[in-house]
Amino acid sequence: MPRAESTDILVVGAGPAGIAAATTAAESGAKVILIDDNPSPGGQIWRGRARPRSLAYRWIERLLFTSVRRLFATTILATPQPGTLLAQFTSRAVELSYQKIILATGARERFLPFPGWTSPRVFGAGGLQALVKSGMPIANKSVLVAGAGPLLLAVAAALRKYGARIPLIAEQTPRARLTAFVRHLVFHDPAKLAQGVALRSRLLGVPYRADTWPTRAEDRDSTLHVTLRTPAGPIEIPCDFLACGYFLVPNLELAALLGCRLNADGVTVDDEQRTSLPNVFAVGESTGIGGLEKSIIEGQIAGLIAANRPDAARKLFRARHKSHHFATALRTAFALRDELKQLPSPDTLVCRCEDVPHAQLAAYATSRDAKLQTRCGMGPCQGRICGPACQFLYNWPADPSPRPPLYPTTLETLA
Amino acid sequence: MTSAVATDVVIVGAGIVGAACADVLTREGLSVTVVESRGIGHGATAAGMGHLVVMDDSEAQFALTRYSVDLWRELADEFPADVEFDPCGTLWVAADEEEMNAVRAKHDFYAKRNVATEILDPHQLALVEPNLRPGLAGGLRVPGDCVLYPPTAARALFDRARQRGAKVVHGEVVSLTGTSVHLKDGTRFSAPHTINAAGILSPRLTIEADVRPRKGHLIITDRYPKFVNHQIIELGYLKSAHSVSADSVAFNVQPRKTGQILIGSSRQYGSDDPTVEHPILRRMIRRAVAYMPDLARLSVVRAWTGFRPSTPDKLPLVGPAPSDPNLLLATGHEGLGITTSLGSARLIADHILNRPPRIPIDPYLPGRFAKEPAHA
Amino acid sequence: MPDLRVNGRLVNVPDGVSVAAAVLIAGVTTFRRSVTGQPRGPLCGMGICFECRATIDGVPHQRTCQLPAQSGMEIQTDAPR
């Protein structure tokens, strides 16, 4: 029998949004459980030891000062009945009952397939950063950083701190859109612009090219030879590793399993961060990719609403509105260009779990048909890696028919 | 208004039964149109286990399943690899002496009808399936049974039918008679015969199709090659399948060619909600682990549900609808749809072509449920 | 500083690193073979791609990027080509 715990407010995800939600709810007097499958709080963007006086450090310290019950290294598996989640800590099952739940499940990188992307020398951008932060040696290695989004700059700066050489940062976004984004920041968000400039200045000496993306990676003689498309024609750059990720997509599996209404950007929520289900809130990247501020503000609003402090929550609406402005600008700037649909060749694998090539998948009109006939999306990643790629490449309508368990687990944990 | 498209047979439903009918009828030279509202091999075909099994629970069930399994084995060499046809056989497992008596009775039943089976004692059982727990009473091995992956099998049958001219049309049927099919978008088909092979949706089109959903749960694991060698079923499965009203679970596992293990099974009445029910899942898992303890530590990738189209007497509806003899039902196959799709299709074809069928069609006729007026 | 074995070879790794990092520190880059036999290593670094799987202390399909390396661990990856 699983161990059981109950609480007023269950916050799923201990990234910035979840930390903000749990902290403000607990400070308002609610009984809160905060759950995350990583062993420490911070999610992806605040992963690792935070620098004192940084925003991450201050929020985490604030969290630790509250009475929030922290269940880390705990994975949510299923929704056995309304008001209850089944979770797993090491190999033990835990049943968590709640009155209200705040989904702060964050985002993951989007991967697009291209010839050679399955080589062990190719990583996600955030992926390589996470691996390096958890001990992968990178000193004196050359790492080509590519894909889409401001994350590329943060990754390159972090890798450099660990001793890597960055020959190039390749951003798929057209130069004109990047310029427009910077101009938006100048007028609407100078603080963010300052952050960007600071980041860029830590990368002095590292070329940053727009309209550029990898078209092929070949593992040859212990070196990765990466061919990139540039406006001036193809170039080939040898390196040790390629760190490549195409912006972010929200993690919506739990929201879908619960039955929340979803839209093209994420979970549909109202002014109070409420989803279509009573007592279910969603915040941060899960309501639409939008960056750190949006996550922290939405987390606070939901925490305050859930803890019955609507007046305090309302005070944050203006700031939220501003953060949404930035979120829209961000998503618009780094939207994927159509040429990326031409990246895979017919035998490029799209589903890595089941080794299904592009040519096989292109023949299907829906993800369900492709799944049944090719097994694409039926592997252990449960479509998290191939799903966003397939949606982009084949225009398959999103097929939110999630099935438990949300992550592979042992039979005895489900029993 | 456009005129109706004429064809020899219109089949409603592109699951395994519709696929089998399309394959057989086109082979006989008939022009066939299949109408499907979702996709090829969806519905129960997508959800189920793909176990091809000769059953002994009644003469009628035996006749249809034996006929069908023979047909599957004849076809096996013609299938592409993604059908994952595997002649791994079935192993019926007895937990105690009472179930061993049932094993012996089963063995006799099959032997009298020329189906090869082998009684295994506990020692032999452990040799062929080392992961079964010690202490079982023995089992019955049926080497002629097989497994396959139903969605690709359905597609493979449709590929053959399409090569012979069959058309598969995407659309929703709003009315069906023995000679006409009307779609939501206004398209009409006319044919001397139509076939309702719409599984649990068949009652929506034909009131006489007394088919109700019988919910089942399944689990699939990550890859553990050689963990299981046969489709293994506990003898208690038969009690589960026969219960008319109670929710039940039974131990039933299948090795897939990928090395993944399919774990079932459950039966529930009265639910049309596809949500996975954790109490049932738990019971099913515990039952499975009771027979194979090492299953407990295996990694589960996914759990899902499906709906078996079931009839009041466990036998499918194959043959003319009483009120409309040109309308042929081919539905209600409960948990044996994959197996008996081929036999059912042959019976349907024989009926259309007015030929004597290889096995009698009477036990499966839809009219068997109609009340006969008292004769003087 | 944990001592553990990667494919039978003893390796000493810094405190607090993940099993995936330990494998890479040991110089092993192929974590697993895909279903058609291709060499694969970690991709996402956050426990969702399942490419970093290895057998730890006899238990297969473990996501190495999510687990801390511990002294005495026996880590087995799929054989490289």
Side-chain angles (χ1 to χ4, degrees):
Chain A
M1 261 333 281
R3 199 178 90 230
E5 290 204 31
S6 72
T7 189
D8 294 339
I9 301 175
L10 179 61
V11 180
V12 180
I19 290 173
T23 303
T24 49
E27 285 170 352
S28 306
K31 183 177 172 203
V32 180
I33 290 181
L34 175 63
I35 181 169
D36 194 293
D37 54 13
N38 289 291
S40 348
Q44 305 313 318
I45 193 171
W46 284 346
R47 183 184 283 273
R49 242 166 272 119
R51 282 186 343 273
R53 289 191 303 281
S54 68
L55 191 63
Y57 188 90
R58 284 184 278 126
W59 267 106
I60 292 175
E61 224 195 7
R62 197 171 148 191
L63 167 74
L64 297 179
F65 204 67
T66 67
S67 59
V68 170
R69 171 135 170 76
R70 303 183 300 274
L71 291 180
F72 295 152
T74 303
T75 307
I76 308 268
L77 299 175
T79 57
Q81 68 214 40
T84 307
L85 290 190
L86 179 69
Q88 167 180 357
F89 172 73
T90 58
S91 53
R92 283 173 48 231
V94 183
E95 250 184 28
L96 301 166
S97 304
Y98 56 87
Q99 304 295 321
K100 300 177 183 158
I101 181 170
I102 302 178
L103 304 176
T105 45
R108 61 184 188 275
E109 278 189 285
R110 181 202 274 126
F111 299 104
L112 295 181
F114 57 89
W117 78 297
T118 55
S119 156
R121 289 184 182 277
V122 177
F123 301 83
L128 184 59
Q129 181 181 16
L131 287 161
V132 167
K133 280 188 174 179
S134 67
M136 173 182 172
I138 202 84
N140 300 315
K141 301 281 186 193
S142 62
V143 183
L144 208 161
V145 179
L151 179 63
L152 301 185
L153 290 173
V155 166
L159 292 176
R160 236 181 164 207
K161 253 208 340 232
Y162 282 89
R165 281 178 292 116
I166 314 287
L168 174 69
I169 303 172
E171 168 62 63
Q172 58 97 37
T173 295
R175 155 143 284 131
R177 253 200 265 146
L178 274 181
T179 312
F181 181 60
V182 172
R183 209 174 24 240
H184 170 98
L185 292 183
V186 167
F187 288 111
H188 299 283
D189 219 326
K192 279 241 186 29
L193 181 66
Q195 279 171 31
V197 168
L199 198 52
R200 187 73 186 92
S201 71
R202 280 157 62 196
L203 292 164
L204 238 34
V206 178
Y208 178 82
R209 295 281 177 271
D211 298 280
T212 303
W213 60 86
T215 55
R216 160 174 226 92
E218 210 183 308
D219 209 327
R220 217 169 57 225
D221 319 312
S222 302
T223 305
L224 192 68
H225 296 264
V226 182
T227 309
L228 296 115
R229 180 269 186 198
T230 79
I235 58 170
E236 195 187 283
I237 297 184
C239 54
D240 289 304
F241 304 120
L242 170 61
C244 182
Y246 285 92
F247 203 54
L248 302 171
V249 291
N251 295 318
L252 301 175
E253 292 75 26
L254 177 56
L257 192 61
L258 285 168
C260 300
R261 195 174 314 130
L262 308 174
N263 61 65
D265 296 321
V267 187
T268 303
V269 290
D270 66 10
D271 259 356
E272 296 186 335
Q273 305 296 143
R274 291 179 190 274
T275 69
S276 58
L277 297 176
N279 298 317
V280 180
F281 297 78
V283 297
E285 309 280 63
S286 70
T287 63
I289 303 297
L292 184 58
E293 240 145 60
K294 173 178 174 289
S295 292
I296 294 176
I297 293 168
E298 288 187 355
Q300 288 176 88
I301 290 173
L304 291 167
I305 298 283
N308 298 314
R309 292 189 56 204
D311 293 332
R314 224 157 269 138
K315 295 203 178 88
L316 293 166
F317 281 17
R318 186 127 171 257
R320 178 178 60 188
H321 184 77
K322 180 158 178 259
S323 77
H324 282 184
H325 210 42
F326 172 74
T328 306
L330 184 70
R331 291 203 295 265
T332 308
F334 296 102
L336 298 183
R337 52 201 297 167
D338 279 334
E339 293 100 309
L340 298 174
K341 296 190 188 193
Q342 313 306 324
L343 275 176
S345 49
D347 59 358
T348 304
L349 298 184
V350 175
C351 167
R352 295 170 69 122
C353 293
E354 301 291 328
D355 283 11
V356 187
H358 171 55
Q360 235 193 311
L361 292 173
Y364 295 100
T366 66
S367 67
R368 181 129 178 89
D369 283 318
K371 205 185 250 203
L372 288 175
Q373 293 298 320
T374 69
R375 267 213 202 77
C376 170
M378 284 192 176
C381 95
Q382 298 168 327
R384 286 180 174 89
I385 301 297
C386 59
C390 289
Q391 263 184 277
F392 176 66
L393 291 172
Y394 313 119
N395 294 317
W396 290 341
D399 178 23
S401 48
R403 292 174 175 79
L406 286 171
Y407 284 92
T409 184
T410 60
L411 261 139
E412 66 188 345
T413 307
L414 280 181
Chain B
M1 168 127 123
T2 56
S3 56
V5 178
T7 186
D8 289 331
V9 185
V10 181
I11 303 173
V12 178
I16 195 75
V17 174
C21 290
D23 179 50
V24 168
L25 293 171
T26 50
R27 199 140 31 92
E28 300 287 352
L30 299 176
S31 64
V32 169
T33 298
V34 182
V35 182
E36 166 58 50
S37 63
R38 289 178 297 175
I40 290 190
H42 287 221
T45 301
M49 265 183 143
H51 180 206
L52 307 176
V53 56
V54 178
M55 295 290 279
D56 69 332
D57 50 318
S58 69
E59 287 296 345
Q61 200 73 284
F62 173 80
L64 189 57
T65 54
R66 196 259 285 272
Y67 181 33
S68 301
V69 173
D70 284 348
L71 289 170
W72 279 111
R73 288 171 56 191
E74 276 164 30
L75 261 187
D77 290 335
E78 298 173 40
F79 279 137
D82 67 354
V83 173
E84 294 183 19
F85 185 91
D86 186 2
C88 59
T90 305
L91 186 56
W92 296 92
V93 168
D96 53 34
E97 201 44 40
E98 185 192 345
E99 291 189 355
M100 249 344 247
N101 288 331
V103 161
R104 291 180 198 108
K106 241 172 136 59
H107 170 78
D108 291 342
F109 180 97
Y110 287 127
K112 281 195 184 66
R113 293 160 183 76
N114 287 318
V115 173
T117 68
E118 193 190 331
I119 297 181
L120 302 179
D121 66 26
H123 174 71
Q124 292 162 318
L125 193 65
L127 281 175
V128 300
E129 291 289 358
N131 285 309
L132 281 171
R133 72 161 168 84
L136 293 168
L140 184 75
R141 197 161 153 261
V142 186
D145 288 349
C146 322
V147 309
L148 49 64
Y149 181 53
T152 48
R155 193 221 66 239
L157 289 168
F158 274 120
D159 287 344
R160 289 153 55 99
R162 274 189 282 225
Q163 265 164 23
R164 302 182 200 112
K167 304 261 177 298
V168 182
V169 169
H170 192 263
E172 199 186 315
V173 175
V174 292
S175 93
L176 172 66
T177 72
T179 51
S180 72
V181 180
H182 288 220
L183 303 192
K184 195 168 180 189
D185 67 2
T187 315
R188 294 177 302 137
F189 297 95
S190 73
H193 288 100
T194 61
I195 301 175
N196 182 341
I200 56 161
L201 300 177
S202 42
R204 290 198 203 166
L205 300 172
T206 309
I207 194 78
E208 290 136 303
D210 188 2
V211 165
R212 292 184 214 186
R214 199 149 187 212
K215 187 173 179 182
H217 287 70
L218 282 174
I219 284 172
I220 194 161
T221 67
D222 209 326
R223 288 168 158 85
Y224 299 93
K226 306 227 186 330
F227 189 91
V228 172
N229 300 313
H230 302 76
Q231 175 113 17
I232 311 179
I233 316 180
E234 61 156 307
L235 273 153
Y237 174 88
L238 299 168
K239 290 189 219 107
S240 161
H242 282 209
S243 160
V244 184
S245 54
D247 290 352
S248 57
V249 302
F251 168 62
N252 189 344
V253 299
Q254 176 186 103
R256 301 226 47 90
K257 267 199 165 165
T258 58
Q260 293 171 283
I261 300 157
L262 202 46
I263 301 171
S265 61
S266 81
R267 276 179 160 75
Q268 296 159 259
Y269 265 121
S271 171
D272 58 2
D273 177 357
T275 314
V276 168
E277 291 168 64
H278 284 263
I280 300 278
L281 209 63
R282 278 205 276 265
R283 278 173 61 191
M284 201 174 84
I285 292 174
R286 288 184 191 162
R287 190 101 189 136
V289 170
Y291 278 84
M292 277 194 146
D294 285 348
L295 278 176
R297 301 290 178 78
L298 301 191
S299 176
V300 173
V301 170
R302 194 169 52 258
W304 68 94
T305 63
F307 295 95
R308 306 172 183 85
S310 73
T311 62
D313 63 0
K314 317 281 167 270
L315 294 173
L317 301 169
V318 180
S323 65
D324 192 353
N326 293 59
L327 202 180
L328 305 170
L329 295 180
T331 180
H333 294 80
E334 223 265 358
L336 289 169
I338 312 300
T339 304
T340 59
S341 58
L342 295 192
S344 304
R346 291 292 165 95
L347 291 175
I348 294 279
D350 292 335
H351 176 88
I352 290 177
L353 297 165
N354 215 357
R355 295 188 303 215
R358 182 88 68 85
I359 61 171
I361 195 176
D362 304 73
Y364 326 109
L365 288 173
R368 70 188 186 268
F369 293 122
K371 292 196 191 14
E372 288 284 335
H375 289 289
Chain C
M1 300 267 286
D3 265 337
L4 40 84
R5 277 187 203 280
V6 177
N7 295 339
R9 255 190 53 221
L10 192 63
V11 64
N12 183 267
V13 301
D15 278 328
V17 308
S18 65
V19 176
V23 171
L24 292 163
I25 288 167
V28 173
T29 53
T30 297
F31 280 63
R32 69 172 204 104
R33 305 283 231 127
S34 75
V35 303
T36 60
Q38 296 180 355
R40 297 283 175 81
L43 173 72
C44 76
M46 56 188 283
I48 61 175
C49 74
F50 284 79
E51 295 281 44
C52 69
R53 283 178 285 167
T55 300
I56 302 179
D57 296 334
V59 183
H61 298 303
Q62 301 298 292
R63 279 176 284 171
T64 57
C65 74
Q66 296 294 91
L67 296 164
Q70 278 164 20
S71 256
M73 264 184 172
E74 295 269 353
I75 302 162
Q76 203 71 29
T77 67
D78 284 349
R81 203 169 283 139

